[in-house]
Amino acid sequence: MQSWFDIHEAIEAGALALRERAHALDAADADDVRRFCDESAFLMDVLILHSKGEDGIVFPMLRDAGIEVPDALTEQHHEELSAIYDVQTAAVEMRFANEKHDVAGALAQARSTLDRMVPELITHIRWEDDHLVAAV
């Protein structure tokens, strides 16, 4: 069980780094934009799989062991999915920028979403670490 939660450190570091990269990104640098899109796609996929694993496997196991797991954690995962979708949509628009999809507008959307999402994600992860990992 502990190893499942160990990934939280990597997720937190990755989320902070991605948000920092978004703010440092030069929208005119096509290679840098492509790398950012790849990095964001990777992290978003990790977040999706991790949350699905918690909701479908880890949380039920903890509940079966008599550990209280608030339903709010799964609700937060659903909210996270919405933010992930927004980041992924912005990254696709950036990757395939043309006259209909400009990089600057999509980058602004990614930055805004990451600015909102990352602190919420870190709060969520740290709550799990403080309350669920400690109970295992």
Side-chain angles (χ1 to χ4, degrees):
M1 264 327 259
Q2 178 64 46
S3 63
W4 180 261
F5 290 102
D6 286 344
I7 195 170
H8 285 173
E9 289 179 37
I11 289 171
E12 182 175 336
L16 288 167
L18 186 66
R19 183 178 67 179
E20 185 176 313
R21 284 260 300 122
H23 284 283
L25 185 62
D26 176 1
D29 184 337
D31 289 336
D32 204 28
V33 167
R34 181 184 41 74
R35 281 189 298 275
F36 173 80
C37 292
D38 291 344
E39 292 167 10
S40 67
F42 177 78
L43 181 63
M44 297 304 113
D45 287 347
V46 168
L47 288 172
I48 290 168
L49 292 173
H50 184 75
S51 294
K52 282 183 175 183
E54 285 183 346
D55 293 337
I57 299 168
V58 175
F59 293 168
M61 285 175 46
L62 292 173
R63 288 181 180 117
D64 288 348
I67 297 169
E68 183 180 342
V69 179
D71 291 335
L73 294 177
T74 297
E75 292 168 16
Q76 290 169 3
H77 286 162
H78 293 160
E79 293 168 12
E80 180 184 290
L81 282 173
S82 178
I84 290 168
Y85 176 80
D86 290 345
V87 171
Q88 288 178 320
T89 300
V92 167
E93 288 182 12
M94 290 166 60
R95 186 183 301 275
F96 300 104
N98 58 30
E99 60 278 347
K100 289 184 178 181
H101 301 285
D102 75 306
V103 173
L107 179 56
Q109 174 63 41
R111 287 173 176 159
S112 174
T113 301
L114 288 166
D115 285 344
R116 182 181 88 267
M117 176 185 157
V118 171
E120 292 171 359
L121 176 64
I122 291 171
T123 298
H124 174 93
I125 286 171
R126 289 183 181 174
W127 191 95
E128 288 179 351
D129 288 348
D130 291 344
H131 296 89
L132 298 181
V133 175
V136 176

